[in-house]
Amino acid sequence: MRRNWVLVVGLLVLLYLFLPIFVVAGLSFNEPTSRLSYDFHRFTLDNWADPCGPGDMCDAVGRSIQIGLLSTLIATLLGTLMAFALARHRFRGRAATNLLVFLPMATPEVVMGSSLLALFVAGGVSLGFWTVVIAHVMFCVSFVVVTVKARLAGLDPALEEAAMDLYAGEWQTFRRITLPLVAPGIVAAALLSFSLSFDDFIITNFTSGTTVTFPMYVWGAAQRGIPPQVNVVGTAMFGIAVILVLGGEIISRRRNRLG
């Protein structure tokens, strides 16, 4: 125990982090005695067989996925370009830009949500699907910039210099050397952005109008009893995330072996 106490503490922390996920996964196979009961009553596969049983839940899930994909695409594109500009170029206002990038991450979501609501109302913009997308892009860009910039900071510039010495052009060097090396950071930033967008409630609640996303559906359903199919969606999303991470790790290890 004395020699392996760090490992033991790490395992306990992981158990603490994953315990709620295990509970959600277990409840997805539960048939509760009532909608207000969360005790494990009886094992069933009915929740997985009919995940869209509760009215409008799958519509809310689909809407959250649409918003998440759009927000992720736009935020990843803008954030990656900003990260390259901040990491590779020197320009006036660079330090101030680095500081401003962190502000959405440090600003409380209640403050950001209320500020965006005031901005949209003052500008006469109707609240709905696209205002949610705009709001999600705003706070996701910062996370993309920080993630991709960290990846760029760890790159060895000698690799690009060697490619240029071998008569590769700038575009060819970027496409065959820089982009493959930065790709894991871009993918990680995209996954993080999608998770943040899909999971967001506070900012969405201020900017959604009549648009109902999955977190807002869960919040509304909690007042009259959360259906067990909500646990099915949560477990499925976690499973997809695990598959993507494991798949990326396997591909990375195969490339390292071939290299």
Side-chain angles (χ1 to χ4, degrees), residues 133-173:
V133 172
I134 293 172
H136 286 197
V137 169
M138 176 174 290
F139 66 77
C140 286
V141 165
S142 297
F143 290 93
V144 175
V145 172
V146 172
T147 305
V148 178
K149 187 180 174 185
R151 181 68 179 178
L152 286 170
L155 292 184
D156 186 359
L159 297 174
E160 295 174 310
E161 294 172 0
M164 300 289 284
D165 290 339
L166 295 174
Y167 303 103
E170 292 184 358
W171 169 247
Q172 195 173 14
T173 301

Side-chain angles (χ1 to χ4, degrees), residues 2 4 12 26 39 56 87 97 102 105 125 128 145 147 161 177 190 207 211 216 230 250 256:
R2 291 181 179 178
N4 299 318
L12 290 175
D39 58 328
D56 300 333
T97 303
F102 283 94
M105 301 172 61
V125 180
V145 172
T147 305
E161 294 172 0
I177 304 297
T207 59
T211 301
M216 295 184 64
V230 169
I250 292 173
N256 291 335

Side-chain angles (χ1 to χ4, degrees), residues 3-233:
R3 288 183 298 178
N4 299 318
W5 67 271
V6 175
L7 176 61
V8 173
V9 172
L11 292 175
L12 290 175
V13 172
L14 288 176
L15 178 62
Y16 171 76
L17 292 175
F18 283 96
L19 185 59
I21 298 175
F22 295 150
V23 172
V24 169
L27 290 176
S28 67
F29 297 97
N30 180 38
E31 183 181 346
T33 55
S34 67
R35 299 191 67 175
L36 298 176
S37 176
Y38 296 97
D39 58 328
F40 195 87
H41 175 61
R42 186 169 57 189
F43 180 86
T44 181
L45 294 175
D46 293 341
N47 301 327
W48 286 87
D50 187 21
C52 296
D56 300 333
M57 192 191 75
C58 281
D59 292 337
V61 173
R63 200 168 294 113
S64 289
I65 293 176
Q66 291 175 3
I67 293 173
L69 291 176
L70 283 173
S71 303
T72 298
L73 179 63
I74 299 172
T76 302
L77 178 61
L78 295 177
T80 301
L81 294 176
M82 290 179 62
F84 270 95
L86 292 172
R88 296 296 180 87
H89 300 280
R90 300 291 182 269
F91 53 90
R92 183 177 299 177
R94 180 171 175 267
T97 303
N98 277 317
L99 178 62
L100 291 174
V101 165
F102 283 94
L103 285 182
M105 301 172 61
T107 304
E109 289 191 341
V110 173
V111 176
M112 184 178 294
S114 59
S115 300
L116 286 170
L117 174 62
L119 176 64
F120 290 141
V121 172
V125 180
S126 300
L127 300 179
F129 181 90
W130 290 108
T131 54
V132 176
V133 172
I134 293 172
H136 286 197
V137 169
M138 176 174 290
F139 66 77
C140 286
V141 165
S142 297
F143 290 93
V144 175
V145 172
V146 172
T147 305
V148 178
K149 187 180 174 185
R151 181 68 179 178
L152 286 170
L155 292 184
D156 186 359
L159 297 174
E160 295 174 310
E161 294 172 0
M164 300 289 284
D165 290 339
L166 295 174
Y167 303 103
E170 292 184 358
W171 169 247
Q172 195 173 14
T173 301
F174 174 79
R175 183 170 59 89
R176 296 195 174 185
I177 304 297
T178 307
L179 186 59
L181 293 174
V182 182
I186 297 176
V187 173
L191 291 175
L192 178 60
S193 297
F194 181 81
S195 299
L196 292 171
S197 176
F198 186 87
D199 188 56
D200 183 75
F201 170 76
I202 298 177
I203 296 177
T204 304
N205 193 35
F206 279 100
T207 59
S208 61
T210 58
T211 301
V212 179
T213 61
F214 180 64
M216 295 184 64
Y217 174 87
V218 174
W219 176 76
Q223 302 177 13
R224 57 186 183 274
I226 298 178
Q229 285 83 354
V230 169
N231 300 315
V232 173
V233 175

